[in-house]
Amino acid sequence: MVRALHEKGNLKHAYCTETRPYNQGARLTAYELVHEKMPATLVCDDMVTLLMEKKSISAVVVGKRIAGRSGAVPVNVY
């Protein structure tokens, strides 16, 4: 989805999080955004609320490993 927005010239900037505890955001998402030459910034998980308050965010894309038919995403509580 993000790649398609970028190809159409509709992506102003992408923000991705570090995604704790395994840092997939830093190791995978941020790397792919930079590799594709998309305007992007890696932020820590704790910065998301402030970022959404201060910037004009028009869309949020959420990745998931598991989802039910209804679209429900299980939340892991440790």
Side-chain angles (χ1 to χ4, degrees), residues 8-60:
K8 292 179 180 180
N10 295 329
L11 179 69
K12 290 181 183 178
H13 200 90
Y15 295 92
C16 59
T17 59
E18 58 192 350
T19 318
R20 295 177 191 172
Y22 301 112
N23 292 322
Q24 299 96 317
R27 290 185 297 113
L28 302 173
T29 308
Y31 173 81
E32 289 180 12
L33 292 169
V34 169
H35 182 74
E36 301 272 339
K37 297 185 179 16
M38 293 184 208
T41 302
L42 175 67
V43 297
C44 67
D45 293 342
D46 295 341
M47 289 294 296
V48 173
T49 302
L50 181 64
L51 181 68
M52 292 186 80
E53 287 176 0
K54 300 294 182 187
K55 299 286 184 179
S56 177
I57 306 291
S58 58
V60 176

